[in-house]
Amino acid sequence: MERSLTMEIVRVTEAAALASARWMGRGKKEEADDAATTAMRDVFNTIPMQGTVVIGEGEMDEAPMLYIGEKLGTGVGPKVDIAVDPLEGTNIVARGTTNALAVIAIGDHGQVLHAPDMYMKKIAVGPEAVGKIDINASTIDNLKAVAEAKNKDIEDLVVMIMDRPRHEKVIDEIRAAGARIKLFQDGDVAAAINTAFDNTGVDLFMGIGGAPEGVIAAIALKCLGGEMQGQLVPQNDAEIERCKKMGIPDINKIFYMDDLCGGEDAIFAATGVTDGELLKGVQYKGSKARTQTVVMRAKSGTVRFIDGEHSLKKKPNLVMKPE
């Protein structure tokens, strides 16, 4: 995987963020997602690589672009697997709330899990608590392990978990243990990677969310030296059959980091669409716009925060006319 690819994909997430942020607070999540997807696909065509989408907008007959199996790039350069979420948090943008991202994760060819579009039970931590969590352990045991690893009292831990009825039992257990909770409505990629940055104040991520998002977050955590574990949670016989068709015969399998993203290298980039704990959202300033992006690479351990300023006069397709 070439070093230049790290900076090339920043252009892709920036374009998606700039296009989708125009829809913030307008209550139209599909339009926001379409804008991000179109902008992302256009820039992908200019990147020197041989990319294959393994996690994207759906199957070929479900998505017009960035579909699973689609070839991306100029056809020259490194051969890689690509996981994309052009707009991670479509509901977030529609409502104008926090932590929407435009996201790309890249792994060595054949090394990224082809996760079916279904629920996955997940647990994630940053570098300090790697090797201490166990998705099969009780909530209190994981809290104790993370607190010990981070030299904290349980009362000082902050756990991010999605605000859903399915998490009521876990939320009650966390509160009974004395730990603090940050509930969020959407966007569990951002929630998971927040565990690896001290300035977010997040120590542990738990809960059930999308499996594709779990793989994307795992690639980010690989770059950051963190850890994620996952287990698929199929809801019916059709989803169980889908697992088998995608090469996952054991639906009870625990996926560890090497299962989610193997190989020696990985790259992750995310541009803020709306403000969040980690990144500022897009800000429009007349004929210019500002973005903030984090990009990281596993092989070098490099993490860069990039503030971009963009001329909108040169990108008329990014300016949405009022209805």
Side-chain angles (χ1 to χ4, degrees):
M1 199 177 296
E2 296 178 5
R3 183 185 309 160
S4 61
L5 192 57
T6 305
M7 299 307 296
E8 289 280 5
I9 66 170
V10 171
R11 297 191 296 112
V12 183
T13 57
E14 285 177 340
L18 285 165
S20 58
R22 285 290 188 185
W23 293 95
M24 188 187 78
R26 294 175 178 265
K28 297 184 177 182
K29 65 178 185 178
E30 288 84 4
E31 287 83 349
D33 190 48
D34 288 346
T37 302
T38 301
M40 184 173 277
R41 183 64 177 82
D42 287 346
V43 181
F44 259 131
N45 281 336
T46 70
I47 296 179
M49 66 177 183
Q50 303 175 68
T52 302
V53 177
V54 297
I55 290 176
E57 292 293 275
E59 303 290 346
M60 186 183 299
D61 58 352
E62 297 173 352
M65 61 184 75
L66 299 182
Y67 54 82
I68 296 169
E70 185 175 5
K71 304 300 181 182
L72 300 177
T74 62
V76 177
K79 198 172 184 180
V80 296
D81 286 351
I82 300 173
V84 298
D85 198 340
L87 182 54
E88 212 265 324
T90 55
N91 287 322
I92 292 172
V93 173
R95 293 194 302 263
T97 53
T98 60
N99 279 320
L101 302 172
V103 175
I104 296 173
I106 295 179
D108 291 330
H109 179 62
Q111 296 294 325
V112 177
L113 177 69
H114 295 210
D117 189 9
M118 63 181 63
Y119 281 138
M120 175 184 275
K121 180 182 178 183
K122 296 175 267 190
I123 183 170
V125 290
E128 293 172 290
V130 168
K132 305 299 182 182
I133 55 173
D134 181 353
I135 198 169
N136 286 324
S138 67
T139 300
I140 184 62
D141 284 345
N142 277 310
L143 290 172
K144 286 178 179 177
V146 173
E148 182 178 359
K150 302 192 76 169
N151 195 27
K152 289 185 174 185
D153 294 328
I154 288 180
E155 291 79 7
D156 295 329
L157 293 180
V158 174
V159 183
M160 286 203 79
I161 187 166
M162 191 176 286
D163 189 6
R164 295 290 190 274
R166 62 180 177 268
H167 293 144
E168 286 179 1
K169 181 175 182 292
V170 176
I171 290 170
D172 288 344
E173 291 171 346
I174 295 169
R175 288 172 172 164
R180 297 175 295 158
I181 294 176
K182 267 191 174 183
L183 294 174
F184 65 97
Q185 291 295 326
D186 296 284
D188 63 358
V189 171
I193 64 176
N194 279 347
T195 61
F197 290 93
D198 285 340
N199 61 309
T200 65
V202 178
D203 300 291
L204 177 64
F205 165 80
M206 301 176 71
I208 296 173
E213 290 83 357
V215 175
I216 292 172
I219 295 173
L221 288 167
K222 178 171 182 164
C223 296
L224 292 163
E227 180 181 5
M228 172 173 279
Q229 297 174 14
Q231 184 179 34
L232 293 173
V233 186
Q235 301 295 294
N236 49 51
D237 290 342
E239 290 192 351
I240 292 173
E241 188 60 31
R242 181 168 172 76
C243 290
K244 294 176 180 178
K245 286 183 178 179
M246 294 184 73
I248 308 170
D250 181 9
I251 60 171
N252 296 312
K253 176 180 173 64
I254 303 300
F255 294 95
Y256 297 97
M257 290 297 284
D258 284 344
D259 300 312
L260 296 164
C261 180
E264 295 182 356
D265 208 358
I267 299 172
F268 174 89
T271 299
V273 180
T274 63
D275 290 346
E277 287 95 348
L278 188 62
L279 296 169
K280 294 287 290 183
V282 176
Q283 297 180 350
Y284 296 102
K285 306 285 184 180
S287 62
K288 294 184 178 181
R290 293 176 181 172
T291 58
Q292 189 172 59
T293 302
V294 62
V295 59
M296 54 191 86
R297 186 182 180 195
K299 195 168 187 177
S300 63
T302 305
V303 179
R304 292 183 174 92
F305 286 86
I306 299 172
D307 292 320
E309 186 171 284
H310 311 267
S311 172
L312 298 179
K313 290 181 179 179
K314 296 180 181 180
K315 300 180 179 66
N317 59 308
L318 296 179
V319 181
M320 186 189 72
K321 298 297 184 183
E323 294 182 359

